[in-house]
Amino acid sequence: MEKQPILRVENLKTYFYTEDGVVKAVDGVTFDLYEGETLGIVGESGSGKSVTSLSIMRLLDEKGKIVDGKIIFKGKNLLELSEAEMRKIRGNEIAMIFQEPMVALNPVYTIGDQIMEAIMLHQNVGESKAREIAIDLLRKVGIPEPEKRVDQYPHQLSGGMRQRAMIAMALSCRPSILIADEPTTALDVTIQAQILDLMKELQKEYGMALIMITHDMGVIAEMADRVVVMYAGRVVEYGEVHEIFKKPRHPYTYGLLSSIPRLDVEQEKLKSIPGTVPDPLSFPSGCKFHPRCEFAQERCKNEEPELVEVEPGHFSRCFFWEKLKELEVK
Amino acid sequence: MRVETKRTLKRFFRNPSAIIGVSLLIFFTVVAIAAPLLAPPLNPMDPSRKVHDPFTMPKVTWKQEPVPPTSKADAEKAFIAKGIAKMLYEKEKEDLVPLALKVVENLSSEELYRVYAKVSPLKSKIKEYLKTVKDKLKKAGLENPDTYINSFMTNDFLLACKKALEGDENFPQVLKSLASEIPNLRKTYLIKIFKEGFPYLDYDHAISVSKEFLKVDGNVIDFLMEKGYIKRKPIRCVDYHIFGMIDGRDIFYGVVWGTRTAFRIGLIVTFFATLIGLFIGSISGYYGGWIDEVLMRITDVFLSIPFLVAAIVLTTFLGTGLDKVMIAMVIFGWMGTARLIRGNILQVKEEQFILAAKALGVRDYLIIMRHVIPNTIFPVVIQASMRMGSLVITAAALSFLGLGAPTGYADWGSLLNYSRNWLLGAQGDVFKYWFALVYPGTAMVLFVLAWNLLGDALRDTFDPRLRG
């Protein structure tokens, strides 16, 4: 059965026109998001995952421009909407939570004020009703004593509490898509697990689609149904989570997976991908990953591979994906 | 929230500079509010009348220009008159004329002024007294008692009295008895007049009295009052004008009503300059791009114009006056705020909660109003409170240049402007006119200090990052 995607990103190109030159932060990204599923977008810092999410929300700063592509949400191309129409979608249809709960809440208002702002903005309710909804939401995201917490300022809350409040804020209008940009990166590991559980739970309850942006393969394994692996503004691998974890078909994904510390195998040193993400102003020719790739060959330096379907629903941007298949057999 | 407010207030009031600053400001506010009670805006020549505009300091004036004595004899008489006045004032002696001849020292303008200061309440009593005389005359059957009153001190009347005393049968009996009192009456009246300062009675009365008893011309009396001096010279007069007088105006009055002027200048200019600065700075900072470029270049242009020159140019076509100066201060006073708020907004704009608000679909102007400004306003509030004080100094500087408040306006700057001619004091007494400078100067210093301390305390309380 072919499901209709709720959000379809097609060949998205977002460039930043800086004084030093054009930064191709996102260069031809395509993926689908289906109702109720969780899509993980994974990659190192600077791979363009956050820019992708900001492009969907059309929240880029003045230097960033979406030069090409389509973002189709419920049949409408978001890139063609007016700013006023887009405002109705933000928060209401697509909501977003951010990496740093410490700074994503306005320090001068109580969390109640901020949640109520979102509610009153999109739902036609009065202040007292909005307050009730806010308290309900806080209870739902697992904040104890929500009647008391609603009148507290962000600095009076712990990081985990703040992230819960952020989630409550994002969920206040029952969006159909929630974009979570590294929602757990700034939190303690124990809190991370709680927040992820909470998000899973709420996703089930609200039936919304979730885009999980992270660099943490552990979070992906925990949360995602399908995964987009990004490197230097491009999708390098895309597929079901089990496929990706069990049969990575791109050396970058392979590298990411092998750099997860393991307890079951004796390791002297943690594995890592050598080198760093290339300077976005001067990407290497050919396959952008080749300087760091252990399988790189002469061809990789001159030619950029296309995204090929290696198995149904599993795509890879590598000439030598079959080699990885062999590696796995070993 | 209540807890937080309480904590903030506690932190604020634990700061000594906050306590000093706030108490000074409370003091100034009370003075400003109670100005009509502390220094009633009454006409000093006639306390029953109110002055037209309380901000124009009431001035002691005379009807005529003084004329110096022309002949040597007149001058001698004037000198004697002065001596008599002094003797009368000091000793209330009955047999005065011979004593007066011995008086050699000058009666200073201060002393004469002291005489004046006491007369105002007594003037009505003398009027009453004259009225009883008039009633008596009426009862005696006189048809035109006013003419008698008017000629009360003239030779004609004295002759009439003499005649009556000599036994003229046609003269009414009551008037006869009244006439017998005349010498005493005249003496009392004379004493009263000198004691209480005759020039402050009706001018005509003064002339007739002086003509009659001192054989001095009325104009000479005026000269003796040193009108010209009183007009300009600072006069120290503790019992009536506790801060003294300058240019014929009460310094205490000026200081009290000047508090209102200071608050008015400070509040109005700060309010409008901050408003304009906030508007331009927040638009420029929030939107950035070419809007920012254009607005900031305009700001630079305004900043590059020297304020005093600009104020002089502006007042040449707006005209002088306090309101014009305030306009000039607003027009050339918003740039600091604009730059400050722009810088803060550039910083806050990058904060994630702004992005989060945008991601919730909040409108731009609501983001500015609700999220940007509350996070950037404190430095502006602090700057505004610091500016409140310095604006008063600027206004004073403009008054000094003759651009500010009109002559006689109740303004600390104008008061200091008057005293600048007397800064060096009198010959041999450098500190003679200290009061002309010290009282308005102290008021201004304390006012500026109060706002600066308040600004410091606000900064320490709300913006610990800025603590030096």
Side-chain angles (χ1 to χ4, degrees), chain B residues 142-174:
Chain B
L142 248 70
E143 280 182 14
N144 275 331
D146 284 336
T147 46
Y148 284 95
I149 295 290
N150 289 341
S151 62
F152 187 58
M153 295 294 164
T154 64
N155 285 332
D156 291 349
F157 186 64
L158 289 174
L159 282 173
C161 293
K162 216 173 182 182
K163 256 184 170 177
L165 290 169
E166 278 164 5
D168 189 335
E169 294 302 316
N170 296 328
F171 214 76
Q173 193 55 45
V174 186

Short mmCIF file of all heavy atoms in Angstrom, two decimals, chain B residues 142-174:
data_model
loop_
_atom_site.label_atom_id
_atom_site.label_comp_id
_atom_site.label_asym_id
_atom_site.label_seq_id
_atom_site.Cartn_x
_atom_site.Cartn_y
_atom_site.Cartn_z
N LEU B 142 -18.38 115.83 57.33
CA LEU B 142 -17.62 116.31 56.20
C LEU B 142 -18.13 115.67 54.91
O LEU B 142 -18.37 114.47 54.86
CB LEU B 142 -16.14 115.99 56.38
CG LEU B 142 -15.24 117.19 56.59
CD1 LEU B 142 -15.52 117.78 57.96
CD2 LEU B 142 -13.81 116.79 56.44
N GLU B 143 -18.30 116.48 53.87
CA GLU B 143 -18.87 115.94 52.65
C GLU B 143 -17.85 115.13 51.87
O GLU B 143 -18.15 114.12 51.24
CB GLU B 143 -19.43 117.07 51.78
CG GLU B 143 -20.79 117.52 52.27
CD GLU B 143 -21.38 118.61 51.40
OE1 GLU B 143 -20.87 118.82 50.29
OE2 GLU B 143 -22.34 119.23 51.86
N ASN B 144 -16.63 115.57 51.86
CA ASN B 144 -15.61 114.90 51.06
C ASN B 144 -14.44 114.46 51.93
O ASN B 144 -13.37 115.05 51.90
CB ASN B 144 -15.07 115.83 49.97
CG ASN B 144 -15.95 115.77 48.74
OD1 ASN B 144 -16.58 114.76 48.47
ND2 ASN B 144 -15.99 116.89 48.04
N PRO B 145 -14.65 113.41 52.72
CA PRO B 145 -13.57 113.01 53.62
C PRO B 145 -12.30 112.63 52.87
O PRO B 145 -11.20 112.78 53.41
CB PRO B 145 -14.14 111.84 54.39
CG PRO B 145 -15.30 111.36 53.60
CD PRO B 145 -15.80 112.51 52.79
N ASP B 146 -12.44 112.16 51.61
CA ASP B 146 -11.25 111.73 50.86
C ASP B 146 -10.26 112.86 50.66
O ASP B 146 -9.05 112.65 50.73
CB ASP B 146 -11.66 111.17 49.49
CG ASP B 146 -12.23 109.77 49.65
OD1 ASP B 146 -11.88 109.11 50.67
OD2 ASP B 146 -13.00 109.33 48.79
N THR B 147 -10.81 114.03 50.40
CA THR B 147 -9.89 115.15 50.20
C THR B 147 -9.10 115.43 51.46
O THR B 147 -7.93 115.77 51.41
CB THR B 147 -10.66 116.43 49.80
OG1 THR B 147 -11.77 116.55 50.66
CG2 THR B 147 -11.12 116.38 48.36
N TYR B 148 -9.77 115.26 52.63
CA TYR B 148 -9.06 115.46 53.90
C TYR B 148 -8.00 114.40 54.08
O TYR B 148 -6.89 114.68 54.53
CB TYR B 148 -10.03 115.45 55.08
CG TYR B 148 -10.79 116.76 55.18
CD1 TYR B 148 -12.04 116.90 54.62
CD2 TYR B 148 -10.21 117.86 55.84
CE1 TYR B 148 -12.73 118.09 54.70
CE2 TYR B 148 -10.89 119.05 55.91
CZ TYR B 148 -12.15 119.17 55.34
OH TYR B 148 -12.81 120.35 55.40
N ILE B 149 -8.41 113.20 53.75
CA ILE B 149 -7.43 112.12 53.89
C ILE B 149 -6.23 112.40 53.01
O ILE B 149 -5.07 112.27 53.44
CB ILE B 149 -8.06 110.77 53.48
CG1 ILE B 149 -9.18 110.38 54.45
CG2 ILE B 149 -7.00 109.67 53.41
CD1 ILE B 149 -8.70 110.01 55.82
N ASN B 150 -6.54 112.80 51.76
CA ASN B 150 -5.44 113.06 50.85
C ASN B 150 -4.57 114.21 51.29
O ASN B 150 -3.36 114.21 51.08
CB ASN B 150 -5.98 113.35 49.44
CG ASN B 150 -6.53 112.08 48.81
OD1 ASN B 150 -6.19 110.97 49.26
ND2 ASN B 150 -7.38 112.22 47.83
N SER B 151 -5.24 115.16 51.93
CA SER B 151 -4.44 116.29 52.38
C SER B 151 -4.00 116.13 53.83
O SER B 151 -3.58 117.07 54.47
CB SER B 151 -5.25 117.58 52.24
OG SER B 151 -6.39 117.48 53.07
N PHE B 152 -4.11 114.90 54.27
CA PHE B 152 -3.78 114.56 55.66
C PHE B 152 -2.42 115.07 56.09
O PHE B 152 -2.21 115.51 57.20
CB PHE B 152 -3.85 113.03 55.80
CG PHE B 152 -3.71 112.54 57.19
CD1 PHE B 152 -4.61 112.97 58.15
CD2 PHE B 152 -2.70 111.67 57.54
CE1 PHE B 152 -4.50 112.50 59.43
CE2 PHE B 152 -2.60 111.21 58.83
CZ PHE B 152 -3.50 111.62 59.77
N MET B 153 -1.55 115.01 55.16
CA MET B 153 -0.19 115.38 55.49
C MET B 153 0.24 116.71 54.84
O MET B 153 1.41 117.03 54.85
CB MET B 153 0.78 114.29 55.03
CG MET B 153 0.57 112.99 55.77
SD MET B 153 0.99 113.16 57.50
CE MET B 153 0.23 111.72 58.16
N THR B 154 -0.71 117.39 54.24
CA THR B 154 -0.30 118.61 53.55
C THR B 154 -0.37 119.83 54.49
O THR B 154 -1.01 119.80 55.55
CB THR B 154 -1.20 118.90 52.34
OG1 THR B 154 -2.51 119.15 52.83
CG2 THR B 154 -1.20 117.74 51.37
N ASN B 155 0.26 120.87 54.03
CA ASN B 155 0.27 122.11 54.82
C ASN B 155 -1.13 122.69 55.01
O ASN B 155 -1.44 123.24 56.07
CB ASN B 155 1.16 123.15 54.15
CG ASN B 155 2.63 122.80 54.39
OD1 ASN B 155 2.94 122.17 55.41
ND2 ASN B 155 3.48 123.20 53.49
N ASP B 156 -1.96 122.55 53.92
CA ASP B 156 -3.33 123.06 54.02
C ASP B 156 -4.03 122.47 55.21
O ASP B 156 -4.67 123.17 56.01
CB ASP B 156 -4.12 122.72 52.75
CG ASP B 156 -3.61 123.51 51.57
OD1 ASP B 156 -2.81 124.45 51.80
OD2 ASP B 156 -4.01 123.19 50.45
N PHE B 157 -3.92 121.15 55.30
CA PHE B 157 -4.59 120.45 56.38
C PHE B 157 -4.04 120.88 57.74
O PHE B 157 -4.77 121.06 58.70
CB PHE B 157 -4.45 118.94 56.19
CG PHE B 157 -5.23 118.14 57.17
CD1 PHE B 157 -6.63 118.22 57.17
CD2 PHE B 157 -4.61 117.33 58.11
CE1 PHE B 157 -7.35 117.48 58.07
CE2 PHE B 157 -5.35 116.61 59.02
CZ PHE B 157 -6.72 116.67 59.00
N LEU B 158 -2.74 121.03 57.77
CA LEU B 158 -2.11 121.46 59.02
C LEU B 158 -2.59 122.86 59.42
O LEU B 158 -2.88 123.12 60.60
CB LEU B 158 -0.59 121.46 58.87
CG LEU B 158 0.05 120.06 58.80
CD1 LEU B 158 1.54 120.18 58.50
CD2 LEU B 158 -0.17 119.33 60.12
N LEU B 159 -2.71 123.68 58.40
CA LEU B 159 -3.22 125.03 58.66
C LEU B 159 -4.64 124.98 59.22
O LEU B 159 -4.97 125.67 60.18
CB LEU B 159 -3.20 125.87 57.38
CG LEU B 159 -1.83 126.43 56.97
CD1 LEU B 159 -1.90 127.10 55.62
CD2 LEU B 159 -1.32 127.41 58.04
N ALA B 160 -5.44 124.12 58.58
CA ALA B 160 -6.82 123.94 59.03
C ALA B 160 -6.84 123.50 60.49
O ALA B 160 -7.63 124.00 61.31
CB ALA B 160 -7.53 122.93 58.14
N CYS B 161 -5.96 122.57 60.79
CA CYS B 161 -5.88 122.06 62.16
C CYS B 161 -5.50 123.18 63.14
O CYS B 161 -6.06 123.32 64.22
CB CYS B 161 -4.86 120.94 62.26
SG CYS B 161 -5.36 119.50 61.34
N LYS B 162 -4.50 123.92 62.68
CA LYS B 162 -4.04 125.02 63.50
C LYS B 162 -5.18 125.98 63.81
O LYS B 162 -5.41 126.37 64.96
CB LYS B 162 -2.92 125.75 62.75
CG LYS B 162 -1.82 126.28 63.65
CD LYS B 162 -0.70 126.83 62.78
CE LYS B 162 0.43 127.30 63.65
NZ LYS B 162 1.50 127.90 62.83
N LYS B 163 -5.90 126.32 62.70
CA LYS B 163 -7.05 127.21 62.84
C LYS B 163 -8.04 126.66 63.85
O LYS B 163 -8.51 127.36 64.75
CB LYS B 163 -7.76 127.31 61.48
CG LYS B 163 -7.48 128.63 60.74
CD LYS B 163 -8.33 128.57 59.48
CE LYS B 163 -8.34 129.90 58.75
NZ LYS B 163 -9.12 129.75 57.51
N ALA B 164 -8.33 125.39 63.70
CA ALA B 164 -9.31 124.75 64.58
C ALA B 164 -8.86 124.84 66.02
O ALA B 164 -9.64 125.11 66.93
CB ALA B 164 -9.50 123.30 64.16
N LEU B 165 -7.57 124.61 66.20
CA LEU B 165 -7.04 124.64 67.55
C LEU B 165 -7.08 126.06 68.11
O LEU B 165 -7.22 126.27 69.31
CB LEU B 165 -5.61 124.10 67.56
CG LEU B 165 -5.50 122.59 67.31
CD1 LEU B 165 -4.05 122.18 67.08
CD2 LEU B 165 -6.10 121.82 68.47
N GLU B 166 -6.98 127.02 67.18
CA GLU B 166 -7.00 128.41 67.63
C GLU B 166 -8.42 128.90 67.96
O GLU B 166 -8.60 130.00 68.44
CB GLU B 166 -6.39 129.31 66.55
CG GLU B 166 -4.85 129.32 66.61
CD GLU B 166 -4.22 129.86 65.36
OE1 GLU B 166 -4.95 130.33 64.47
OE2 GLU B 166 -2.99 129.80 65.26
N GLY B 167 -9.44 128.10 67.69
CA GLY B 167 -10.79 128.43 68.12
C GLY B 167 -11.71 128.91 67.04
O GLY B 167 -12.54 129.78 67.28
N ASP B 168 -11.53 128.42 65.80
CA ASP B 168 -12.47 128.77 64.74
C ASP B 168 -13.79 128.07 65.00
O ASP B 168 -13.86 126.84 65.10
CB ASP B 168 -11.89 128.31 63.38
CG ASP B 168 -12.71 128.83 62.23
OD1 ASP B 168 -13.88 129.11 62.42
OD2 ASP B 168 -12.14 128.94 61.11
N GLU B 169 -14.88 128.89 65.17
CA GLU B 169 -16.17 128.32 65.56
C GLU B 169 -16.78 127.45 64.47
O GLU B 169 -17.59 126.57 64.76
CB GLU B 169 -17.15 129.46 65.92
CG GLU B 169 -16.75 130.23 67.13
CD GLU B 169 -16.60 129.34 68.36
OE1 GLU B 169 -17.46 128.48 68.59
OE2 GLU B 169 -15.60 129.49 69.11
N ASN B 170 -16.39 127.73 63.16
CA ASN B 170 -17.03 126.99 62.07
C ASN B 170 -16.51 125.55 61.94
O ASN B 170 -17.09 124.74 61.25
CB ASN B 170 -16.79 127.70 60.73
CG ASN B 170 -17.47 129.06 60.72
OD1 ASN B 170 -18.52 129.22 61.36
ND2 ASN B 170 -16.88 130.02 60.06
N PHE B 171 -15.41 125.30 62.56
CA PHE B 171 -14.82 123.97 62.42
C PHE B 171 -15.54 122.95 63.28
O PHE B 171 -15.78 123.19 64.45
CB PHE B 171 -13.35 124.02 62.81
CG PHE B 171 -12.51 123.08 62.01
CD1 PHE B 171 -12.17 123.40 60.68
CD2 PHE B 171 -12.07 121.89 62.55
CE1 PHE B 171 -11.40 122.54 59.95
CE2 PHE B 171 -11.30 121.02 61.79
CZ PHE B 171 -10.96 121.34 60.49
N PRO B 172 -15.94 121.79 62.69
CA PRO B 172 -16.70 120.82 63.50
C PRO B 172 -15.94 120.37 64.73
O PRO B 172 -14.71 120.28 64.71
CB PRO B 172 -16.87 119.65 62.53
CG PRO B 172 -16.62 120.21 61.18
CD PRO B 172 -15.69 121.35 61.34
N GLN B 173 -16.75 120.08 65.75
CA GLN B 173 -16.17 119.77 67.05
C GLN B 173 -15.31 118.52 67.03
O GLN B 173 -14.22 118.47 67.59
CB GLN B 173 -17.30 119.62 68.09
CG GLN B 173 -16.82 119.61 69.54
CD GLN B 173 -15.99 120.85 69.87
OE1 GLN B 173 -16.36 121.99 69.52
NE2 GLN B 173 -14.87 120.68 70.53
N VAL B 174 -15.83 117.49 66.34
CA VAL B 174 -15.11 116.20 66.30
C VAL B 174 -13.77 116.37 65.62
O VAL B 174 -12.75 115.83 66.07
CB VAL B 174 -15.95 115.14 65.55
CG1 VAL B 174 -15.28 113.78 65.61
CG2 VAL B 174 -17.34 115.08 66.11
#
